[in-house]
C-alpha cells in the first residue's frame, strides 16, 4: 500500500511540531547556490542542506567572498543550514569515488577536512559523508569477510585522521550515512562499526530513511535503535520494490507518519532534509510537492 493512500486523514495522529523541514541543494545543480536557497525558502522550508561539491560549495575553491555572500543569502531568506552534504565528490571523481577505502582515499580525507573547515566558517554544525565506499567484488564469502574487516580498519584510520580537525580545531561533527551497496549499508553494520570508533561524540549518524527501507529494514524501528547516534535525517520516498531510487514523498511506499512518530518519541528536534537529486529538471516543483505532502502528515 502506498504512503499516500495509507497516511492521509488518519484520526488521532500526532503533530510533530519540533521537526523542521529542509531541502538539499543537490537537486538544484542547474541553479547557483544563492538562487537555490532563495527558491527553497519560497516554498516554505526553514532549512537548507548545502552541497559541498561542484557546482555549489566545493570547499577547496569556495572563497571568503562566497562565504560572505552565502551568509547574506541565508540571513535575507531567513534560512538555517540543516547539514553540509559532503558525500558526492564530482569535483574529483563521481558519486562514490574517491572513497574512504580505495587507493585514492587521501583525496577523500583532505576533502572532508576542507569541508569541516568550511562548516565552521558558515555556521553549520555537521556534515554527512559516505559510509566507506563501494566494496570490491571477491571470489568467496571467506575472502569477503576478511576484506570487510580490512576495509573497516582503513575507514576507521581515515576517520581518525580527520578527528583532530573535527573535534579539537573546529567542533564539527562528521555523520556517516549508510547506503545500500556500500561498506556500511544497514543498522547492524553501523552499530558494529561504531564499536571501533574511539570517540563517537564527533563521528555520528546521518539517518537516511529511504536507505534503511531499501535494505529491508523498518525505518521507524531503526529510529529507536539508532537514537543514540543520530544527528540528522535525510528523507525521500522509495517504491515498494525497495530499489534505491529517490522519489518525491507520497509517491512511494514508506510509512512516513510512523517514522515521524518515532522521531517524536525519541525527542528529536532537528532538521529532516528532503533529498531529491534525481529531479534536476524540475527541482522547484519537486520541493513544493514534497513540502505540501509532508506538512499534511506531520
Amino acid at each position: 500500500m502506498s504512503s499516500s493512500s495509507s497516511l492521509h486523514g488518519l484520526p488521532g495522529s500526532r503533530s510533530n511540531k519540533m521537526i523542521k523541514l529542509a531541502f538539499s541543494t543537490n537537486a538544484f545543480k542547474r541553479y547557483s547556490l544563492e538562487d537555490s536557497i532563495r527558491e527553497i525558502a519560497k516554498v516554505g522550508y526553514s532549512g537548507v542542506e548545502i552541497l559541498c561539491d561542484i557546482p555549489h560549495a566545493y570547499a577547496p575553491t569556495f572563497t571568503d567572498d562566497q562565504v560572505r555572500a552565502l551568509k547574506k543569502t541565508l540571513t535575507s531568506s531567513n534560512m538555517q543550514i540543516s547539514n553540509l552534504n559532503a558525500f558526492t565528490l564530482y569535483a574529483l571523481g563521481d558519486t562514490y569515488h574517491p572513497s574512504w577505502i580505495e587507493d585514492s582515499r587521501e583525496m577523500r580525507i583532505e576533502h572532508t577536512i576542507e569541508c569541516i573547515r568550511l562548516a565552521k566558517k558558515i555556521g553549520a554544525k555537521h556534515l554527512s559523508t559516505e559510509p566507506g565506499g563501494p566494496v570490491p567484488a571477491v571470489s568467496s564469502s571467506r575472502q569477503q569477510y576478511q576484506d570487510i574487516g580490512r576495509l573497516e580498519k582503513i575507514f576507521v584510520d581515515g576517520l581518525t585522521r580527520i578527528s583532530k580537525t573535527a573535534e579539537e580545531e573546529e567542533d564539527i561533527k562528521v555523520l556517516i550515512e549508510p547506503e545500500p551497496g556500500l561498506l556500511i549499508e544497514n543498522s547492524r553494520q553501523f552499530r558494529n562499526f561504531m564499536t571501533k570508533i574511539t570517540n563517537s561524540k564527533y563521528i555520528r549518524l546521518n539517518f537516511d530513511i529511504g536507505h534503511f527501507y531499501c535494505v529491508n529494514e523498518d525505518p521507524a524501528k531503526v529510529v529507536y535503535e539508532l537514537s543514540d547516534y543520530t544527528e540528522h535525517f535525510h528523507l525521500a520516498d522509495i517504491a515498494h520494490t525497495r530499489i534505491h531510487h529517490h522519489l518525491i514523498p507520497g509517491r512511494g511506499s514508506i510509512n512516513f507518519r510512523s517514522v515521524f512518530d518515532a522521531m517524536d518519541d525519541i525527542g528529536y528536534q532537528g532538521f529532516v532534509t528532503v533529498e531529491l537529486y534525481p529531479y534536476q529538471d524540475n527541482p522547484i516543483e519537486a520541493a513544493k510537492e514534497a513540502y505540501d505532502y509532508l506538512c499534511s502528515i506531520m
Side-chain angles (χ1 to χ4, degrees), residues 266-282:
I266 68 170
Y268 182 73
Q269 299 183 10
F271 277 104
V272 176
T273 296
V274 180
E275 190 189 26
L276 296 176
Y277 56 82
Y279 294 86
Q280 302 291 324
D281 292 337
N282 56 342

Side-chain angles (χ1 to χ4, degrees), residues 23-40:
F23 197 88
S24 179
T25 69
N26 65 3
F28 282 83
K29 289 185 178 180
R30 297 176 186 175
Y31 292 69
S32 70
L33 178 56
E34 286 74 22
D35 285 345
S36 301
I37 294 169
R38 294 186 189 102
E39 294 297 338
I40 292 167

Side-chain angles (χ1 to χ4, degrees), residues 7-217:
L7 296 181
H8 282 297
L10 288 179
S13 60
R14 296 185 238 176
S15 176
N16 305 90
K17 295 180 179 179
M18 303 309 297
I19 297 173
K20 300 175 287 186
L21 291 178
F23 197 88
S24 179
T25 69
N26 65 3
F28 282 83
K29 289 185 178 180
R30 297 176 186 175
Y31 292 69
S32 70
L33 178 56
E34 286 74 22
D35 285 345
S36 301
I37 294 169
R38 294 186 189 102
E39 294 297 338
I40 292 167
K42 287 178 186 177
V43 172
Y45 292 92
S46 59
V48 60
E49 178 185 82
I50 295 173
L51 176 64
C52 284
D53 196 359
I54 56 173
H56 288 165
Y58 178 52
T61 60
F62 205 70
T63 66
D64 289 341
D65 286 343
Q66 288 175 300
V67 169
R68 285 189 286 271
L70 171 58
K71 287 183 173 181
K72 183 177 180 181
T73 301
L74 289 167
T75 300
S76 63
S77 302
N78 195 28
M79 292 284 272
Q80 299 178 43
I81 299 173
S82 63
N83 181 50
L84 297 191
N85 190 325
F87 194 117
T88 69
L89 196 37
Y90 280 92
L92 301 175
D94 56 28
T95 302
Y96 304 117
H97 308 283
S99 79
W100 290 94
I101 57 175
E102 58 191 16
D103 291 343
S104 57
R105 58 186 172 273
E106 191 66 30
M107 290 190 287
R108 170 64 66 173
I109 293 169
E110 290 302 319
H111 171 67
T112 306
I113 289 173
E114 292 287 348
C115 290
I116 291 169
R117 290 173 175 152
L118 177 61
K120 186 68 171 183
K121 288 180 182 179
I122 64 177
K125 296 179 180 179
H126 43 67
L127 60 90
S128 54
T129 188
E130 62 172 19
V135 178
V138 295
S139 59
S140 69
S141 58
R142 180 178 179 182
Q143 183 181 349
Q144 182 180 30
Y145 178 80
Q146 293 173 336
D147 279 2
I148 293 298
R150 179 180 62 84
L151 295 174
E152 284 183 341
K153 184 179 184 305
I154 291 172
F155 190 16
V156 170
D157 289 345
L159 292 173
T160 301
R161 289 270 305 279
I162 60 102
S163 63
K164 183 177 185 296
T165 305
E167 179 181 357
E168 298 177 17
E169 298 176 11
E170 309 295 358
D171 191 25
I172 300 294
K173 295 177 181 179
V174 176
L175 315 183
I176 298 171
E177 181 181 330
E179 177 169 322
L182 303 187
L183 180 63
I184 301 170
E185 59 179 356
N186 60 46
S187 61
R188 177 187 56 79
Q189 291 169 338
F190 177 80
R191 288 195 302 270
N192 178 65
F193 182 77
M194 289 301 291
T195 65
K196 301 173 174 62
I197 301 296
T198 302
N199 184 358
S200 61
K201 183 179 179 181
Y202 285 85
I203 306 299
R204 308 288 286 164
L205 172 67
N206 186 49
F207 189 119
D208 192 297
I209 297 166
H211 290 177
F212 285 119
Y213 183 78
C214 286
V215 295
N216 295 307
E217 295 196 75

